[in-house]
Amino acid sequence: GGGHEQILELLHPDDVAHALAVIGSRLDRPGDTGLVEVRLRGPDGGWRWFELAATSLLGDPDVAGIVINGRDISERRRSDALFAGELAALETMVGSHTLAPVLFDLAAVAESFIPGAACTIGVRDDDGVIRYIGALFANINEGSLVNFPAPRG
């Protein structure tokens, strides 16, 4: 098929409507460029984030179409997500009277960015005895994070 069918096949299903709206909004705006961030399927079958710039050149007889340029922004999106996780942990730290919620937030951030990581958190008293211990385990079958606190003692 044509180029537009090939692009639609690569777009993540959740991004199709938004991408088409941005691209479609260029139809009556010659020379105007619209930006949209979408996920595109890579050669390995995984999803990569791209920023697409759609420019209408329908009025240009040599082009007579909408030109789409894109750049991979996957690493920027990953960095933004990491920063958001760190910011959430800091916000918890500022608003919390105990350290445990902050540690759980930091463990969740670490687990989400380190493949296969499972963080364990323990808090020791002044004598070095662990009074509270919790672990975050990634339940691979269910795809969710579960908190398993150990009994005090």
Side-chain angles (χ1 to χ4, degrees), residues 10-12 39-50 72 74:
L10 296 176
L11 273 172
H12 189 282
R39 289 161 288 184
L40 295 175
R41 187 182 325 275
D44 64 353
W47 297 104
R48 304 283 302 173
W49 280 99
F50 276 79
D72 189 333
S74 299

Side-chain angles (χ1 to χ4, degrees), residues 28-51:
D28 59 352
R29 298 163 115 178
D32 191 31
T33 298
L35 298 175
V36 63
E37 292 184 6
V38 297
R39 289 161 288 184
L40 295 175
R41 187 182 325 275
D44 64 353
W47 297 104
R48 304 283 302 173
W49 280 99
F50 276 79
E51 179 183 73

Side-chain angles (χ1 to χ4, degrees), residues 66-124:
I66 295 178
V67 175
I68 299 175
N69 292 297
R71 64 185 177 117
D72 189 333
I73 59 167
S74 299
E75 287 307 311
R76 186 191 83 201
R77 294 283 299 221
R78 184 173 166 9
S79 294
D80 289 351
L82 180 59
F83 177 75
E86 291 169 342
L87 183 60
L90 288 173
E91 288 172 350
T92 300
M93 190 181 319
V94 168
S96 178
H97 297 288
T98 63
L99 187 57
V102 175
L103 295 175
F104 279 110
D105 283 353
L106 291 173
V109 169
E111 287 182 337
S112 68
F113 284 92
I114 302 170
C119 295
T120 300
I121 299 169
V123 179
R124 294 181 188 208

